Amino acid sequence: MNAVSLPPSHSSIEANPTFLFTSPHRSIKAFGVAEEICLSACGAAHSDSFLQTAVQGAINRARRAGQANPIVAGAIPFDIRQPCSLFVPMSYTAFARETLMVEERRSERAPTVLGMRSLPDKDAFKDAVTRAITSFRAGKMSKAVLSRILEIELAQPVDVAAILNALVKQNPSGYHFKAPLGDGAILLGASPELLIRKDGAAIRSNPLAGSAKRRSDPDEDQLASRTLLQSNKDNFEHRLVVDEIQEALEPVCKALTTPTEPALMNTSTMWHLSTLITGELANHHTSALQLACRLHPTPAVCGYPTAESRSLISALEPFDRGVFSGAVGWCDSAGDGEWAVAIRCGTVHDKAIRLFAGAGIVEASDPESEWAETEAKLGTMLRAFGIETGERPACR
């Protein structure tokens, strides 16, 4: 990929890009908006779909305007029937994320929280888990991912650059992102989960499903990781995701390698069961955006079977997820690119914050444990904002 040259600038996130995506593979900073693409991703696994046709048209116009290798970047919502928040930037540059300066810019004082509430609250979330388990026992489905949103109102506007700096510092191995949304909000996050990466004909996907909270005591932390690895409940949940992704990729690959057993991946807050799937495309012209639309939503964020779990989520969740548990990333004019799952994330709009966390529910799930899992997952973003778990006011 040939990145567009930009004038020399400070290497910090403070350069204030419109869009940012960091990865162990390749990181992108994009500036300005040449053209927005706000169409549904329905059917967008195919090159002749409305979305892919619009993206190709926008990329062609950017090329005619002088960009050597334009990209499309942004976010795909959880519900692919809703419009995407995609755009072709005016310019962009690739960089090694190790060059980011992650100086702590936040003042020593924690932000002043004026209000906070969970949608749903604890009792309602546990009730939703119980209702989902009842559906599983009736034989309708095997898994559904139920989530909650934590709404926070601050006394002062959010310093987006400081939050990004904190996310990079706290979670150096994640996929960090900043993406503009159509309603004026900004999506921020540090996802541990790679939906798809394409580089030439080579692809990889790294689904995560099955989680356990990290412990401060090293011995207890290792015990938590071993318990997760041996958990029948979590391995069942994980296998549903891996099998579905493998089934979705096989028709477009001439080679695909999937380990038979999961490995462990850790973040600063969580242990995850992880499987790295690698393959070679039958047609290297198939783009990363097409592949992302082919895979999304995976059972890691929705459930299994997809249609039934999506219906149950609509019935049990008292909010519209929007881009939460969607996909965020980029794709260049050659079709190469990366998309991460939009988890461990939140949206910012002036003084208002919305944070997201979900948990995979299967028949063996325990409602109290699933609530605790969402609490642990919220820790990534809460710490980035300087709001410690023990300092949080009661939800209203």
Side-chain angles (χ1 to χ4, degrees), residues 146-209:
L146 297 181
S147 61
R148 49 185 283 235
I149 286 176
L150 189 63
E151 295 183 334
I152 304 172
E153 182 184 357
L154 300 182
Q156 58 281 328
V158 173
D159 185 339
V160 171
I163 301 308
L164 273 171
N165 278 336
L167 287 170
V168 173
K169 185 173 183 179
Q170 292 173 185
N171 303 274
S173 61
Y175 298 87
H176 311 96
F177 47 87
K178 169 191 176 183
L181 303 177
D183 61 359
I186 296 172
L187 174 67
L188 298 173
S191 175
E193 187 167 2
L194 175 66
L195 179 63
I196 194 71
R197 173 189 303 162
K198 176 187 177 288
D199 191 0
I203 63 167
R204 63 172 50 201
S205 179
N206 192 183
L208 309 179

Side-chain angles (χ1 to χ4, degrees), residues 311-328:
S311 178
L312 184 66
I313 288 167
S314 296
L316 296 180
E317 288 186 353
F319 54 83
D320 181 349
R321 289 190 187 182
V323 294
F324 292 145
S325 68
V328 58

Side-chain angles (χ1 to χ4, degrees), residues 17 23 26 61 64 67 117 155 168 180 183 189 193 238 276 301 311 339 342 349 360 368 385:
S23 154
R26 184 179 293 141
R61 286 185 286 276
R64 289 195 295 270
Q67 291 196 42
R117 68 167 178 165
V168 173
D183 61 359
E193 187 167 2
H238 187 80
L276 179 59
V301 296
S311 178
W339 295 84
H349 199 303
E368 184 71 33
F385 281 95

